[in-house]
Amino acid sequence: MSQSRSRRRPFPTDRLRRRDLLRVLGAAPVLPLAGCGGSTESSVAPPTEGGGVWDDAAFRHGVASGDPEQERVILWTRVSNVSGSVPVRWEVALDEAFESVVRSDADPGPSVFRTHTDAGRDYTVKVDAAGLLPGTTYFYRFTVGATRSPVGRTRTAGSGAIDRLRLALVSCSNYSAGYFHAYRVIARQDLDAVVHVGDYLYEGGGEGEIGRPHDPPYEIVTLDDYRRRHAQYRTDPDLQAMTAAHPLIPVWDDHESTNNAWIDGAQNHQPDREGDWEERKLASAIAYDEWLPIRLPDPMNPLRIWRRIAFGDLVELFMLDTRLQRNAPETDTSITGSEANDPSRSMLGIEQRDWLMNGLLNSRDAGMRWRVLGQQTMMAPHRNNPDPSMLPLPYLPPAVVESLGLRQGGGNEGSDNWGAYVFERDTLIRHLRENAISNNIVLTGDVHTGWACDIVEDPYTPFNPITSGVTGAPGYSALTGAGSVAVEFTGMSVTSNNLIDTPGGAALGALWGAAVRGVNPNARYHNPAAHGFVLVDIDRDGASGSFWNVGTVLEPLADGDDGAIDATFRVAHAEAGARFANHLRRV
């Protein structure tokens, strides 16, 4: 049952106090991110080659880069087998042999810095390497004492008029549920960045089916728990390969904290056994900031992760938090009534919603070709479990139904996605339509299954060209896409369970996918039986999403096996003045 409206309040992110951080950290110092504000010059001298207390230093968790901008990028690593305050060298070069070093901790000038790490940030290192060239590939590495990290490759965002952007969309990577094959295949792609829209890790315990039990072996709650879980995930060789090859642009969903979280609680948080929700939420956010190459808009507020990144004049990427900013929990079993349409229910929170709507207008006015929203749960209206009276469907065991977020015999959307916040979704859709903001792409995860959809308020009411075309009233033409304001690519899971993990799952998935498409005119594609990622390829004339299936994740991936593309869907760039531009077609 939903909680009282009187308890719903926006989280005071602008008043997040330093003492709250210190309390969760156990009074450990909060070290500023080098290059992201505040004094960053280390009082510790840079290390000399060899010797010292860092003789056994190691880089067991690899390297990563993230949040590329036109002249800077975040560089990340973690140092093991050390203690105390550890100075860390870093270098950025144009070549893998580091014969052409362009930036390092040794450079003079006020904009360059030395950094160090200690137990206060779990010996993780984040460098905001600035002064780089736009649209350029670089190599980077770290050094502690005589020990060097693996070499990573990254790329800055382009500037000015650029012709192409290639992204990989991933989500839902449960370490105990399977091997991270999608990450291995992504590492070998030609990409500008990887967009991770959440469930980068899972909070539960359990053994799983492949002998990769979670560490710690219980549900994580404290800061130390979250750090241990992040550390375990970062030992995966496929994850290390992907982040060493491409910059990562991440946002969390719920499992980075706990299942079906919202601003004031979570379905999977029990205060009587697991303590204060605010402390647990903050602990999960601090560990996320430490272990992910994310650039916080406010370095002193790890709960503020919504931000935007421009790739020349081609794409403006808005990374959203539709999880820990939502001011109301999931609904009860009926979301088609008044609760889903309650204007007080918000996925984004007022501050983020205003930021997004203003940003979309500014992006249009600045002449950006495309707008891309990276976010967590499905935005397009969809009937996840078609009404049996409309199409005959096979019986699914309750455990499978629950794992897929389905409603047996229903016809409703899930209770934890945008369908439970219909008023705000319709407000956003009207904002796009009434302000003629076209060329909009939404990138989504969460549901473990692949979807390609047009986004419109109501895809089920037959389209009326007189009322809908003029007033924007609900209505949709599946043939022409009239009424749609955006397209959505929802990626399959990296490992989290779907029908492919059940006996006969591939055949059942084909039947189920056809049935779902049959009752959802706006769903151009639905595959509930695949693991993998979506390759998003954007150019000046259009954008496509290719659903890359890597097969089972319960067995190791054979050498040379990169899976295969199941389907590709493309949306064309709108001609000047075109009213309806956002419509997917299979290619």
Side-chain angles (χ1 to χ4, degrees), residues 321-479:
D321 179 3
T322 66
R323 176 56 61 186
L324 294 185
Q325 294 301 313
R326 59 175 70 184
N327 70 352
E330 59 183 318
T331 62
D332 58 21
T333 56
S334 175
I335 70 166
T336 56
S338 60
E339 186 166 88
N341 292 284
D342 184 343
S344 72
R345 291 175 59 84
S346 174
M347 288 276 278
L348 297 167
I350 295 173
E351 180 185 0
Q352 184 181 196
R353 183 174 64 202
D354 289 347
W355 168 87
L356 174 61
M357 289 190 171
N358 289 332
L360 291 168
L361 283 172
N362 293 337
S363 176
R364 179 206 63 184
D365 294 343
M368 296 296 290
R369 193 79 159 184
W370 297 88
R371 278 143 293 280
V372 178
L373 277 58
Q375 54 97 55
Q376 293 78 2
T377 62
M378 278 191 70
M379 183 178 291
H382 61 285
R383 290 170 175 166
N384 209 3
N385 192 14
D387 189 329
S389 67
M390 302 174 71
L391 281 175
L393 292 174
Y395 170 77
L396 292 182
V400 174
V401 173
E402 181 179 359
S403 72
L404 296 176
L406 304 179
R407 293 241 169 88
Q408 198 68 275
N412 297 333
E413 301 174 80
S415 63
D416 192 48
N417 58 35
W418 280 89
Y421 304 80
V422 169
F423 182 87
E424 186 165 70
R425 177 174 67 188
D426 288 354
T427 298
L428 179 58
I429 290 174
R430 285 196 303 273
H431 179 72
L432 295 172
R433 177 182 293 112
E434 292 173 359
N435 290 286
I437 304 173
S438 61
N439 286 4
N440 307 303
I441 303 169
V442 179
L443 304 181
T444 299
D446 182 62
V447 292
H448 307 179
T449 55
W451 295 74
C453 297
D454 294 343
I455 294 179
V456 65
E457 296 96 327
D458 174 16
Y460 308 107
T461 302
F463 176 66
N464 184 325
I466 297 177
T467 60
S468 297
V470 174
T471 67
Y476 171 70
S477 168
L479 180 62

Side-chain angles (χ1 to χ4, degrees), residues 280-344:
R280 181 181 186 181
K281 177 174 66 173
L282 186 56
S284 69
I286 289 170
Y288 189 89
D289 174 44
E290 291 172 343
W291 283 86
L292 272 293
I294 183 174
R295 180 186 291 105
L296 295 179
D298 178 358
M300 285 305 297
N301 183 2
L303 288 168
R304 163 71 196 274
I305 63 167
W306 65 91
R307 61 206 191 279
R308 63 186 174 201
I309 300 172
F311 293 87
D313 68 347
L314 184 65
V315 170
E316 189 147 26
L317 174 62
F318 295 81
M319 298 299 289
L320 307 180
D321 179 3
T322 66
R323 176 56 61 186
L324 294 185
Q325 294 301 313
R326 59 175 70 184
N327 70 352
E330 59 183 318
T331 62
D332 58 21
T333 56
S334 175
I335 70 166
T336 56
S338 60
E339 186 166 88
N341 292 284
D342 184 343
S344 72

